Amino acid sequence: PRKGYDVEKVEFLSEPGIYIPTWVFLPNRRASERAILFASAAGKEEDGMEFGLLERLAQEGRVVVAIDVRGIGDTAPPHCQDLDGSRYAHLFSVETAAAYMAWYMDRCLFGMRVYDVMRSVDYALSRPGVDRSGVDAIGKGAGALWVLFAAALDSRIRAVVAERGLITYASLTRSDRYLHSAGAFVRDILTSFDLPHVAASIADRRLTLLAPVNPMKEVVDTTTAQEAYEFTRLAYSLAGAAGRFTIAGAEGETTTADQYLRLLG
């Protein structure tokens, strides 16, 4: 025990041959709320070290299951990701190569990562002593999109905070440059739907889009985001859950544990 919680470092199988490195934060005195599933494009270590966000969530009594989906964090390829240091180095990175290779095999790296999140729900709910009604989920960066899609496909994700995720795929078509990795892209997605439609499919569960970003990863103003997600707002309203869908701006450089817990409800 350390500071009121334990940390277990484990791995579980997402599919044959694919292991998901996971840190499980177990508070000594647990609140009655659901476990929190945490997925970040930066990997679990960025928020999981001592004095970090995940520690503070555990100190509030929440079980936290922090994962590295395939190709992220502990599973990232052991190659230089930054190349020449250019802000556009992602166009030629290992991540981009992996995304293109997956498309060549008629698969989707983004879809595989969403599947990892869904398998993480299975793992979280298999833990002894957790609330079996479902999990809450926090996603950051590209992780915001992973948890958004996972929640659309898996109703056991009961509440979502999607932080600094791409506002819409359509916004990429209106920009001559972008900073998002190819690993966040879904081939031909705009022929069928966009992110506001994915968000709408989560109604009537609680959903917060926190500081969504444009193609250059700049936080968009709340009015612009609300206009982009009018379809989602209408869907929640028709479901009788207008108050459960929120678009919020950043309250500071980093979001605190208290702010996340408030948004998760």
Side-chain angles (χ1 to χ4, degrees), residues 188-258:
D188 297 332
I189 188 170
L190 290 177
T191 62
S192 300
F193 57 87
D194 201 349
L195 294 173
H197 305 97
V198 179
S201 70
I202 299 174
D204 60 355
R205 288 168 281 156
R206 186 178 295 275
L207 169 61
T208 300
L209 303 182
L210 180 59
V213 299
N214 64 18
M216 296 301 291
K217 293 190 175 181
E218 301 162 334
V219 176
V220 302
D221 64 86
T222 303
T223 299
T224 298
Q226 289 172 340
E227 291 174 353
Y229 279 80
E230 177 61 20
F231 182 92
T232 310
R233 186 202 63 77
L234 179 59
Y236 267 80
S237 179
L238 292 174
R244 296 182 184 176
F245 173 60
T246 305
I247 298 175
E251 296 186 29
E253 290 189 9
T254 59
T255 306
T256 68
D258 287 343

Side-chain angles (χ1 to χ4, degrees), residues 125-158:
L125 295 181
S126 75
R127 299 279 315 191
V130 301
D131 184 339
R132 300 303 172 87
S133 67
V135 301
D136 296 339
I138 297 171
K140 297 180 67 175
L145 304 189
W146 306 334
V147 300
L148 187 69
F149 274 74
L153 295 168
D154 192 333
S155 62
R156 296 175 299 171
I157 299 177
R158 302 305 305 165

Side-chain angles (χ1 to χ4, degrees), residues 166-183:
L166 176 66
I167 183 169
T168 63
Y169 284 113
S171 68
L172 294 170
T173 70
R174 298 189 290 269
S175 177
D176 63 352
R177 63 196 68 190
Y178 58 86
L179 296 181
H180 296 267
S181 162

Side-chain angles (χ1 to χ4, degrees), residues 47-66:
D47 290 285
M49 303 303 286
E50 189 174 13
F51 308 119
L53 168 67
L54 305 186
E55 175 184 278
R56 294 192 293 273
L57 290 171
Q59 289 171 338
E60 293 296 326
R62 302 295 292 269
V63 174
V64 181
V65 178

Side-chain angles (χ1 to χ4, degrees), residues 69-87:
V69 298
R70 67 189 78 189
I72 296 295
D74 287 344
T75 66
H79 302 288
C80 178
Q81 298 287 326
D82 194 28
L83 298 179
D84 61 358
S86 165
R87 68 187 309 207

